[in-house]
């Protein structure tokens, strides 16, 4: 379990690091892909609760992450998060988004288990076969 | 296509026999029925398909909703558990730390002491306990108020923490007492170095609000295992040594020595005896005359307490009053002094002696007591002494500590007719605004100025200034501690109203004072 958790964290970090030049856009893209999968399982309410909790936990490290709510419209769900990211450097965005995703998936894993969480993430993000972390993920 | 390929068509064109016709009808009916059955079956299949297609959507929605509720409930539970844990941690912290300074409290200190004792015992090492008590903190607290006092304690605590290693423990025992646990020292001299460092650090002024406050500390040091093998004995030994540091002039440190226990035992015995003394009426009042410097007449007396100790003889207030203040006995003791003084003044008056004012010292604790006013009124009523013959002497620090509250009490006393004097004037902090506002009748110049006024021009200037100020504010001025004819002459020349001191008369028993009043002979000087 410990190894698997570390692997998930590493996958997140690798994915976040893939597009440093468009860090904010890439970050929102990851969230939208993941949201589609998770909302289909736990609904909007469940997703919002998970998201709010992970934002709260992440704010203790990145105080500037001023996200209070999710937009009701799916197209603008992460508009506030994007605005928050756009005021930061790509490095800060990458670090904050990594932690936000890690916190989110940690909570999810604590609720539904590591295996199911990684399956959902796989469905959401697919992984580049050339990506080492992706390979490990797929061979899990 | 040959004609036999389509039997139905060829047969239909052929006239049918009755049997064939009946069969044909039956077949046709069956065909119709089959056809109808096939259509119904399709509809059912469609309906089933529709139902089975609709069911997953509804189930999905219900599952999503159920999952959402489960997720939300679980996260809420997590948050509640986290809040409970935070509250538990805070309670645990509060239970082991001082609320003002956030330093470890007695409980945590005892825990760490127990650990240090176990470790030192196992390793055959020694460690030091330093008991630190701020010098004259009460004076600052009384004169500038608790808020300033608290800020000063906070500043002192920060200084202390900056003087020690991270592994050492500084704890606040309560009030102005702190204890430092110095882990594994090689020699007792290491503790002395730490104590000296502490004294030096605290010597710098503390900037609190608009005040630059100076405070020193007296430190007692005990060493494990020589001065105690358990926490209680080590702290007690350090506390005893601290008392010696105080006795030795304050702002220094002393190591514990076994013979110091004698003093601690003496202090405890005095406290126990003080309680008994009140019950056994072992206290007596002495009266020191106050003289009108213009006509040498006795215009009043100051009542001064003495303790007629059955074994130690006559004890002066400086030998026991501070202990009475520490243990709260000052309140019943003060009430006794007030009643006794009023009774005595009334006795003198009833004996036909010239009426004089009798002055009683009031401590901060008595003045702050919520029954203070009530007690004054009741005592005057019970003893039938006219209020104008009673003078209460209060120090500047007592009055200025909570000036607004003091103001209302002072006005109530003045309305009653009681006279009010500021004692030890010039040694504390006074606000001239309050000096004007308070209904004070008399300023009593502290004897420290009087002692030096002949030899020290600065003290002489202060005395002249206080007398002038008193005159301007229409207040009586009295100088205490007058011991020589030169001092008396100087005060007379400065138009000081009254004088008190050995030159005019030492404190004496009531009978001696009565005799002096009886003669009516002015004291000559």
């Amino acid at each position: 379990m410990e190894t698997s958790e570390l692997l998930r964290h590493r996958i997140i970090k690798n994915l976040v690091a893939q597009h440093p030049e468009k860090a904010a856009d890439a970050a929102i893209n990851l969230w939208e892909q993941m949201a589609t999968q998770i909302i289909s399982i736990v609904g909007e309410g469940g997703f919002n609760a998970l998201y709010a909790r992970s934002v709260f936990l992440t704010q203790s490290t990145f105080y500037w992450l001023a996200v209070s709510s999710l937009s009701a419209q799916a197209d603008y769900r992460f508009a506030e998060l994007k605005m928050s990211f756009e005021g930061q450097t790509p490095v800060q965005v990458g670090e904050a988004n990594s932690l936000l995703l890690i916190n989110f998936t940690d909570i999810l894993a604590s609720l539904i288990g590591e295996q199911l969480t990684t399956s959902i993430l796989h469905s959401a993000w697919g992984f580049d076969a050339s990506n080492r972390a992706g390979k490990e993920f797929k061979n899990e | 296509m040959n004609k036999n390929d389509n039997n139905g068509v060829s047969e239909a064109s052929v006239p049918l026999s009755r049997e064939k016709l009946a069969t044909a009808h039956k077949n046709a009916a069956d065909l119709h029925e089959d056809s109808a059955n096939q259509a119904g079956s399709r509809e059912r299949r469609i309906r089933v398909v529709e139902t089975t297609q609709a069911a997953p959507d509804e189930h999905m929605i219900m599952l999503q909703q159920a999952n959402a509720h489960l997720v939300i409930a679980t996260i809420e539970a997590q948050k509640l558990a986290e809040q409970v844990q935070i509250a538990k941690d805070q309670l645990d912290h509060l239970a082991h730390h001082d609320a003002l300074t956030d330093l470890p409290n007695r409980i945590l200190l005892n825990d760490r002491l127990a650990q240090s004792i176990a470790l030192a015992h196992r390793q055959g090492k020694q460690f030091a306990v330093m008991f630190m008590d701020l010098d004259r903190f009460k004076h600052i607290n009384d004169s500038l108020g608790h808020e300033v006092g608290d800020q000063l304690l906070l500043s002192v605590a920060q200084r202390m923490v900056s003087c020690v290693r991270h592994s050492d423990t500084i704890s606040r025992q309560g009030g102005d007492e702190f204890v430092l646990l110095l882990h594994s020292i090689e020699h007792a001299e290491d503790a002395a170095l730490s104590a000296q460092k502490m004294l030096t650090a605290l010597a710098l002024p503390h900037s609190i609000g608009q005040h630059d406050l100076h405070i020193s500390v007296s430190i007692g040091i005990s060493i494990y295992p020589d001065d105690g093998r358990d926490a209680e004995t080590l702290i007690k030994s350090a506390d005893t040594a601290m008392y010696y540091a105080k006795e030795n002039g304050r702002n220094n440190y002393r190591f514990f020595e076994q013979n110091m226990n004698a003093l601690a035992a003496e202090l405890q015995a005095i406290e126990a005896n003080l309680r008994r003394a009140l019950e056994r009426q072992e206290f007596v009042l002495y009266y020191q005359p106050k003289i009108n410097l213009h006509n040498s007449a006795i215009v009043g007396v100051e009542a001064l307490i003495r303790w007629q100790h059955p074994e130690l003889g006559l004890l002066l207030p400086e030998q026991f009053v501070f202990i009475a203040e520490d243990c709260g006995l000052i309140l019943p003791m003060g009430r006794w002094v007030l009643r006794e003084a009023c009774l005595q003044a009334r006795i003198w008056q009833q004996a036909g002696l010239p009426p004089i004012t009798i002055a009683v010292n009031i401590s901060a604790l008595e003045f702050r007591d919520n029954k203070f006013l009530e007690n004054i009124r009741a005592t005057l009523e019970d003893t039938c002494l006219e209020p104008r013959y009673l003078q209460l002497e209060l120090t500047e620090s007592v009055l200025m500590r909570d000036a607004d509250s003091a103001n209302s009490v002072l006005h109530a006393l003045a309305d009653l007719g009681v006279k009010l004097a500021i004692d030890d004037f010039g040694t504390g902090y006074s606000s001239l605004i309050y000096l004007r506002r308070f209904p004070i009748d008399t300023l009593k110049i502290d004897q420290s100025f009087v002692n030096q006024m002949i030899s020290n021009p600065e003290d002489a200037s202060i005395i002249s200034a206080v007398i002038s100020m008193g005159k301007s504010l229409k207040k009586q001025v009295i100088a205490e501690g007058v011991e020589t004819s030169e001092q008396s002459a100087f005060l007379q020349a400065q138009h000081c109203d009254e004088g008190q001191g050995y030159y005019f008369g030492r404190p004496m028993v009531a009978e001696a004072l009565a005799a002096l009043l009886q003669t009516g002979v002015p004291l000559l000087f």
Side-chain angles (χ1 to χ4, degrees), chain B residues 380-417:
Chain B
L380 288 168
E381 267 180 38
D382 292 351
T383 58
C384 300
L385 181 71
E386 284 182 59
R388 64 189 169 121
Y389 294 118
L390 174 65
Q391 185 178 60
L392 301 181
E393 293 190 4
L394 302 120
T395 60
E396 289 165 289
S397 58
V398 170
L399 294 176
M400 297 302 165
R401 197 202 131 200
D402 184 358
D404 290 334
S405 156
N407 196 31
S408 68
V409 176
L410 293 176
H411 274 96
L413 289 167
D415 292 346
L416 204 62

Side-chain angles (χ1 to χ4, degrees), chain B residues 70-89:
Chain B
L70 287 171
V71 167
I72 292 165
T74 312
I75 287 177
E76 287 302 317
Q78 279 180 359
K79 283 199 276 191
L80 280 175
E82 197 175 278
Q83 283 167 0
V84 168
Q85 190 56 47
I86 289 169
K88 272 186 181 171
D89 291 346

Side-chain angles (χ1 to χ4, degrees), chain A residues 63-79:
Chain A
Y63 64 93
W64 49 262
L65 200 65
V67 179
S68 56
S69 61
L70 285 170
S71 171
Q73 288 179 276
D75 290 348
Y76 300 101
R77 183 174 283 123
F78 300 105

Side-chain angles (χ1 to χ4, degrees), chain A residues 7 22 34 45 48 54 58 60 66-67 79 82 87 106 116 124 129:
Chain A
L7 178 63
K22 290 180 180 175
M34 189 173 68
N48 290 355
S54 44
T58 309
S60 62
V67 179
K82 192 177 179 188
D106 278 353
L116 193 49

Side-chain angles (χ1 to χ4, degrees), chain B residues 45-154:
Chain B
R45 275 202 304 276
I46 289 165
R47 277 201 297 276
V48 167
V49 167
E50 281 174 354
T51 307
T52 49
Q53 276 176 347
D57 286 347
E58 282 174 20
H59 279 135
M60 278 303 291
I61 289 166
M62 284 192 288
L63 273 172
Q64 271 184 355
Q65 286 175 343
N67 285 342
H69 285 134
L70 287 171
V71 167
I72 292 165
T74 312
I75 287 177
E76 287 302 317
Q78 279 180 359
K79 283 199 276 191
L80 280 175
E82 197 175 278
Q83 283 167 0
V84 168
Q85 190 56 47
I86 289 169
K88 272 186 181 171
D89 291 346
Q90 285 173 339
L91 279 175
D92 186 60
H93 188 85
L94 278 174
H96 293 94
H97 291 80
D98 169 51
L100 174 67
T101 60
D102 206 34
L103 291 176
N105 62 10
R106 279 169 197 266
I107 298 170
L108 187 52
L109 174 75
N110 282 338
D111 188 47
R112 294 198 181 158
L113 263 173
Q115 287 175 24
S116 292
I117 289 168
L119 192 68
H121 177 69
R122 203 162 55 240
Q123 298 177 339
K125 290 191 171 176
Q126 54 181 2
F127 66 86
V129 173
M130 285 172 38
F131 199 105
M132 300 177 283
D133 186 282
L134 301 183
D135 299 327
R136 302 186 198 284
F137 173 74
K138 192 172 171 294
H139 184 72
I140 290 176
N141 217 23
D142 284 346
S143 55
L144 299 176
H146 283 304
E147 230 170 87
V148 173
D150 284 353
Q151 289 301 312
L152 180 60
L153 285 172
L154 205 54

Side-chain angles (χ1 to χ4, degrees), chain B residues 182-245:
Chain B
L182 276 175
H183 291 288
S184 39
I185 53 166
E186 292 296 323
H187 312 284
E189 291 72 33
D190 296 341
L193 284 174
S194 270
Q196 190 53 56
K197 196 173 169 189
M198 201 69 84
L199 292 171
T200 309
L202 287 181
L204 295 167
H206 299 261
S207 184
I208 310 291
Q210 55 194 3
H211 309 281
D212 272 341
L213 301 177
H214 288 83
I215 191 127
S216 58
V217 64
S218 297
I219 304 173
I221 306 170
S222 63
I223 305 287
Y224 173 91
D226 297 347
D227 304 330
R229 290 177 177 271
D230 58 80
E232 193 184 350
T233 311
L234 282 164
I235 290 176
K236 195 170 154 235
S237 298
D239 190 9
T240 303
M242 185 276 294
Y243 266 100
Y244 270 82

Side-chain angles (χ1 to χ4, degrees), chain B residues 16 19-36:
Chain B
L16 296 174
E19 283 177 354
K20 281 186 178 176
L21 189 62
T23 305
H25 276 285
K26 187 179 182 298
N27 287 342
D30 286 348
L31 188 63
H32 180 73
E33 197 176 312
D34 280 351
S35 175

